[in-house]
Amino acid sequence: MDNCFEIKDLRKVYFSGENEINALRSVNLNIPSGEVVVLLGASGSGKSTFLNIIGGIDQPSSGHVLFKGKDLSIISASDLTLFRRKNIGFVFQSYNLVPSLTAIENVALVTEICDHPMEPIKALEAIGLTERANHFPSQLSGGEQQRVAIARAIAKRPEVLLCDEPTGALDSETGSIVLQALLDVNIEFNTTCIIITHNASIADLAHRVIHFVDGQVSRVEVNARRKTPEQINW
Amino acid sequence: MIVTPLNRKLTRDLWNIKGLVIAIVLVMAAGIAIFVIMFGVLDSLRLTQSTYYDRYQFGDVFASLKRAPNSLESRIANIKGVSVSEVRVTFGVTLQMPSLDEPAVGKMISIPDGKEPRLNQLYLRSGRMVYPNETNAIVVDENFFNAHELVLGDKVMVVMNGRLRPLRVVGVALSPEYVYSVAPGAIMPDARRYAIMWTSRHQLEAAANMKGAFNDVSLKLNRGVCVADVKQSLDLLLEPYGGKNAYGRDEQLSNFFVDNELMQLESMGVIAPFVFLAVAAFLVNIVMSRQVAVQREQIGMLKAVGYSDKAIAFHFLQWVYILVFFASIIGLGLGSWMAMGMTKMYAEFFHFPILKYHFSVEVMIFAVASCSAAAMLGTLFSIRKAVNLPPAEAMRPESPEVFKRTLLEKMGFHRHLSFLSRIILRQIERRPLRVLLSITGMALALAILIFSYFMEDSMSYLMDVQYDLIQREDVNIAFAEPQSKTVLESVKAIPGVMAVEPMRTVPVRLTSGHINKNVAITALQSGSDLRRVINQQLRAEVLPDQGMVINERLAGLLNVNIGDALQVHLLEGSQTTLSIPVVALTKEYIGMGGYMELHVLSQLLDQPPKLNGALIRLDDNHSARVFQEIKRHPEIIGMNITSVLRQIFMDIMAENILKMVSINILFASLISFGVIYNTARIALSERGRELASLRVLGLTRKEVSYLLFGELGLVTLLAIPLGIYLGFLMIDAMAVSLDSELYRIPTYVSNQTLGLSTVIMLVCSLLSFYLVWYQVEKIDLVSAQKGVE
Ligand SMILES: Nc1ncnc2c1ncn2[C@@H]1O[C@H](COP(=O)(O)OP(=O)(O)OP(=O)(O)O)[C@@H](O)[C@H]1O
Ligand SMILES: [Mg+2]
């Protein structure tokens, strides 16, 4: 199986005042195409930083990220934009919806600029939010906003879905709807899904679980048997 | 426009901040409108003036002389470069008008018998022209006609050659030659006391003893001919016939006045729009850059999901296009409409019989383009800042708030400050540039208010100096011929005359190096109290017993200083040239001339002391009787009443400059409000979330408002001194550009103006704060926490 991402000696240092914070210290990793991958780790262990860098929305301090053999760290800014537009669906930790657009318009914001998107309403349907389509973010609960964000990410049928705590704000029932939607996309379009979570039981859904400790990958597990969303224990 | 989600976002975002949008659009529209108004009015008036002159064959060169035979006319016509020439008879008269206590002065001008004048044609407003050989019929100038509420057929009593003759008004006319009718010796036009009357050549020749002769020449020149050459040739021809100096349009009194007025308008009109436009542009720049800054997280998200930098920049530029679009429609529409109204008003003021509008597309484009450019610069600059960040960073709230202990705190000042005050100080010290921008914006608002109000101050200051310190007589009179000093006794004998002082005015040409200037020298007796010469400190100077005192502005023009000698060429009598030293400089805002002691002048003129004018102080209760008496003296050809002069000056100012000023004030207030409201609104939108969090933590609305308005209040207070300073800078710039030979603008700003402007600014601030406070009340704590603005 070919690799979706190959990560080589990836480092990220933040400077805040006089302090240096090593958010990532030499991460080496391969992520095969079409897998569901869960990232686990304590708060501050560098998961979000890692996800942002491989998604091309943050710059590494050093190291390389190869997406299907193409080195992201050496391509131009506009090519990086194109890369995101074509291949990556994001679900951000803080939703990041446009407050002045309704749920369906937030989805359309993305389908507008891709080649073979779903219909926005289909994407909302997939995460069970059709009746909220015309609500503004301020009229939605946190979980609902998160689901709109997911609809926005899957609507473009991306090569890769990057989800930062997609179920963090959800109850078990909606949580499993959302996870099912992600898995469906994975199966239907062979989308690689990389999901950050604090909920270790979600790891049972994954093909592969990557543990972060203090800016490094401590361990990679491959699940022999995966559970379905209904089976997991919230 | 295709309705993409981004376009929807655009319209909804604009709708959400509609208060702000309206404020920006209004400010931009005001900047654009005032530009279009000022230039529209000026261009239209210039066009109207030149069209009027062309259509009515206004002359290029003029001359008057004592008397020359008609046979000279063909030689004048043959001067090289002359395309049309006309000779006329003119005759100075006095008029007795029933509505005036004092005599009015008049000038009778001949028109060719039975044909149109070739030059200086009349626009007949009503009635008819004079028939050839018709006796005792006149066409009068409309200004005079209206000032006395005459009707066609009225008889006007005119003293000609010492005989009183009733002349019947058969027509009312306007002439390009007398747009303004300024009596000889007067500095301001006075339609009530100066009449221009046209009658048939034949008639006037008889009345003025000018059979077969003429005493006035007008010439029209071929295009591109040198005026100076023609003037010289004409002087040469006329010299044997008592020809005075030929003069061009630039010295033709009416045209000089019109040009001067237009120039005043121009300097007023050119500076203000640039200032206003600059303020508007500055404001739009700030607002746009902050709007973009507020949306930084959204920009990060758009980038993250694959929108290109270009698409994002274009999205925000659309804001600018929309703002500029509405501002342009309002600004250009309102501007053109007001410009047309004002042009019409000015055309009536000048009595132009025609009206031409001219709106230059360049001016409109310039106004719109500079607003757009400023807005786009602000936008692009902030967008660049936002898109240069990696999206992950842009999406994080702009938080690594590096607070430091402020300078004041380091100095141990904080012990005296409350916790909230300390937050305010830290906020200010953390973003000094932003605070500086807010201060500058508010200061500019104050500055243009001061700048707009100052004109009135300046005018009344000028009046006070001129009529309280310099020209203190109640009346001055002019004699036809120089008189001996004994005439003062007979004037003093008139009941009601309290004091009399002699005056002698002589037209001269002053020469220094190659610079010439035609002015009048006024000679006064030493210790003169009714007319005084004041120095730069506004204190009265005693006229020295040698040399002369000249106006400081004139000294500047001639490039001479105290101690330098001037060549003084007398333009009457002996026509000799003398070298006279300048011994002192005087400060005057109106007019331009020189002063000498009466005896000193008489010695130079080689005459026993004579006078051709007198300054009179009246007993107010008897002024009417004095005027009656003066009317009966044929040797008195002119009379100026100081209070009337003052009134006329004020009226002209009120009609002319102050109307411009009131437009300025209107727009200045609008812009100040816009600037201040925007500043407050932006502060709120930047702080909204933070304030909401503090509210959640349990701070009262009052405390939260204190945080917001404490900072704004401090900004406002700091803006006041800066605004006053900027106001003075603008005023200085304008005074320099308004400086003219007719009058100069004192850069005097009253405390009242400073107070009023500051109060208006503070009222704008309070109103804005109130409107914003109203928004603070509405901060939705829940949605603020969700991160929805
Ligand atoms: N912009 C920044 N400036 C400085 N330090 C940062 C910045 N962003 C993250 N960090 C630091 O980098 C480290 C890794 O952060 P990251 O957000 O990747 O953690 P995380 O694993 O996603 O944590 P969580 O589970 O709480 O979301 C943390 O110590 C964090 O404080
Ligand atoms: Mg995280």
Side-chain angles (χ1 to χ4, degrees), chain B residues 254-399:
Chain B
S254 159
N255 180 56
F256 174 74
F257 255 92
V258 175
D259 271 348
N260 230 291
E261 293 283 307
L262 290 180
M263 254 159 53
Q264 308 279 350
L265 280 184
E266 216 155 73
S267 348
M268 280 289 300
V270 166
I271 292 184
F274 276 106
V275 170
F276 284 30
L277 199 62
V279 173
F282 176 78
L283 176 75
V284 172
N285 184 295
I286 296 182
V287 170
M288 280 317 297
S289 52
R290 296 205 179 167
Q291 268 310 316
V292 174
V294 165
Q295 297 221 2
R296 187 184 123 111
E297 290 167 42
Q298 291 189 39
I299 293 174
M301 185 278 294
L302 288 174
K303 266 195 84 172
V305 302
Y307 278 88
S308 65
D309 293 0
K310 242 201 238 153
I312 295 170
F314 181 69
H315 168 65
F316 281 96
L317 282 182
Q318 275 180 312
W319 283 54
V320 178
Y321 297 149
I322 289 179
L323 294 180
V324 169
F325 175 76
F326 284 110
S328 305
I329 287 191
I330 298 175
L332 295 179
L334 186 75
S336 322
W337 180 68
M338 287 180 80
M340 274 159 68
M342 284 193 52
T343 305
K344 206 166 157 212
M345 190 192 82
Y346 276 113
E348 276 163 21
F349 171 68
F350 286 119
H351 295 270
F352 289 145
I354 53 176
L355 189 55
K356 289 259 171 191
Y357 295 117
H358 181 254
F359 294 106
S360 101
V361 179
E362 290 91 336
V363 164
M364 296 191 171
I365 291 178
F366 179 82
V368 171
S370 35
C371 264
S372 330
M376 284 200 279
L377 273 182
T379 310
L380 286 177
F381 186 71
S382 313
I383 289 177
R384 227 180 56 133
K385 256 177 39 189
V387 296
N388 275 350
L389 294 174
E393 204 165 310
M395 275 188 290
R396 242 171 263 133
E398 194 175 3
S399 213

Side-chain angles (χ1 to χ4, degrees), chain B residues 693-709:
Chain B
S693 312
L694 289 172
R695 290 275 285 124
V696 172
L697 291 181
L699 267 72
T700 64
R701 186 174 296 147
K702 235 169 110 186
E703 285 164 332
V704 163
S705 301
Y706 174 68
L707 266 188
L708 184 63
F709 298 127

Side-chain angles (χ1 to χ4, degrees), chain B residues 396-413:
Chain B
R396 242 171 263 133
E398 194 175 3
S399 213
E401 304 225 332
V402 191
F403 275 102
K404 280 187 255 159
R405 280 148 53 80
T406 63
L407 207 63
L408 285 175
E409 284 178 90
K410 282 184 195 146
M411 297 185 323
F413 192 70

Side-chain angles (χ1 to χ4, degrees), chain A residues 48 93 164-165:
Chain A
S48 297
Q93 204 164 357
D164 200 338
E165 297 186 40

Side-chain angles (χ1 to χ4, degrees), chain A residues 57 84-85 100 105 109 140, chain B residues 12-13 303 306-307 392 786:
Chain A
I57 62 170
R84 291 195 301 264
R85 180 187 292 201
S100 53
E105 288 162 356
L109 188 67
L140 298 173
Chain B
R12 295 212 185 108
D13 285 345
K303 266 195 84 172
Y307 278 88
K786 272 190 195 167

Side-chain angles (χ1 to χ4, degrees), chain B residues 141-351:
Chain B
D141 157 47
E142 189 186 49
N143 297 330
F144 184 77
F145 186 83
N146 288 343
H148 288 279
E149 298 178 345
L150 298 175
V151 290
L152 288 177
D154 276 355
K155 296 237 164 78
V156 181
M157 304 305 283
V158 177
V159 184
M160 294 169 91
N161 285 335
R163 281 197 301 131
L164 197 61
R165 278 171 60 172
L167 300 180
R168 200 154 55 87
V169 177
V170 298
V172 181
L174 294 171
S175 159
E177 212 182 348
Y178 294 100
V179 172
Y180 271 114
S181 31
V182 185
I187 54 162
M188 282 284 156
D190 180 0
R192 258 166 79 75
R193 290 169 192 79
Y194 190 51
I196 306 294
M197 294 164 284
W198 291 270
T199 189
S200 79
R201 171 87 183 263
H202 183 80
Q203 276 297 305
L204 202 56
E205 277 185 6
N209 251 329
M210 284 289 232
K211 275 267 179 278
F214 64 91
N215 63 1
D216 180 278
V217 179
S218 311
L219 302 178
K220 188 145 192 77
L221 308 186
N222 290 317
R223 207 174 278 279
V225 171
C226 170
V227 176
D229 291 349
V230 176
K231 283 199 305 199
Q232 209 171 18
S233 316
L234 187 60
D235 279 342
L236 222 59
L237 265 183
L238 297 182
E239 189 135 27
Y241 305 98
K244 306 223 172 90
N245 287 286
Y247 53 93
R249 276 188 185 182
D250 54 335
E251 286 173 274
Q252 203 270 345
L253 263 184
S254 159
N255 180 56
F256 174 74
F257 255 92
V258 175
D259 271 348
N260 230 291
E261 293 283 307
L262 290 180
M263 254 159 53
Q264 308 279 350
L265 280 184
E266 216 155 73
S267 348
M268 280 289 300
V270 166
I271 292 184
F274 276 106
V275 170
F276 284 30
L277 199 62
V279 173
F282 176 78
L283 176 75
V284 172
N285 184 295
I286 296 182
V287 170
M288 280 317 297
S289 52
R290 296 205 179 167
Q291 268 310 316
V292 174
V294 165
Q295 297 221 2
R296 187 184 123 111
E297 290 167 42
Q298 291 189 39
I299 293 174
M301 185 278 294
L302 288 174
K303 266 195 84 172
V305 302
Y307 278 88
S308 65
D309 293 0
K310 242 201 238 153
I312 295 170
F314 181 69
H315 168 65
F316 281 96
L317 282 182
Q318 275 180 312
W319 283 54
V320 178
Y321 297 149
I322 289 179
L323 294 180
V324 169
F325 175 76
F326 284 110
S328 305
I329 287 191
I330 298 175
L332 295 179
L334 186 75
S336 322
W337 180 68
M338 287 180 80
M340 274 159 68
M342 284 193 52
T343 305
K344 206 166 157 212
M345 190 192 82
Y346 276 113
E348 276 163 21
F349 171 68
F350 286 119
H351 295 270

